[in-house]
Amino acid sequence: MPDPAADLRPGRAPRALGGLAALACVACCALPVLITAGVVGAGAGAVVGWLPALAVVLTVLAAGTWWLGRRRRSCSYAPTTAGEGRCGCRTSADPLEISGTGRR
């Protein structure tokens, strides 16, 4: 089983939210034309006003989930040494280094 902490690919959520944002943008432009042509009922006109705001919110959510997914630490658990081919986190057996350079 692959190590989930080493997986740097973003999940499905940003892709799904981005797809929904694109769909909202297309619907925002297409619905007025479809209402005018009589393909869609006039009741859909109530939705047209909310679609730009919905598209912006979905775009911000997609960007936020992508950013949080990329910001995730590459080694959140299972610390090992760098020589074992893992992420290179320090083990608890390593001594703690304390430096005397601090603000006073």
Side-chain angles (χ1 to χ4, degrees):
M1 185 167 125
D3 187 9
D7 187 18
L8 296 177
R9 295 176 300 170
R12 291 185 201 174
R15 206 172 303 142
L17 289 170
L20 288 174
L23 183 66
C25 288
V26 168
C28 178
C29 296
L31 270 179
V33 174
L34 293 174
I35 291 170
T36 305
V39 176
V40 180
V47 178
V48 173
W50 290 95
L51 284 176
L54 179 66
V56 168
V57 168
L58 287 171
T59 303
V60 168
L61 284 174
T65 55
W66 175 82
W67 180 72
L68 285 174
R70 299 292 289 177
R71 192 170 173 260
R72 166 179 73 188
R73 292 185 147 215
S74 64
C75 186
S76 58
Y77 63 90
T80 60
T81 59
E84 294 179 10
R86 292 293 225 34
C87 64
C89 293
R90 299 179 67 137
T91 62
S92 60
D94 293 336
L96 177 65
E97 295 178 18
I98 301 175
S99 64
T101 59
R103 295 183 83 183
R104 292 184 185 233

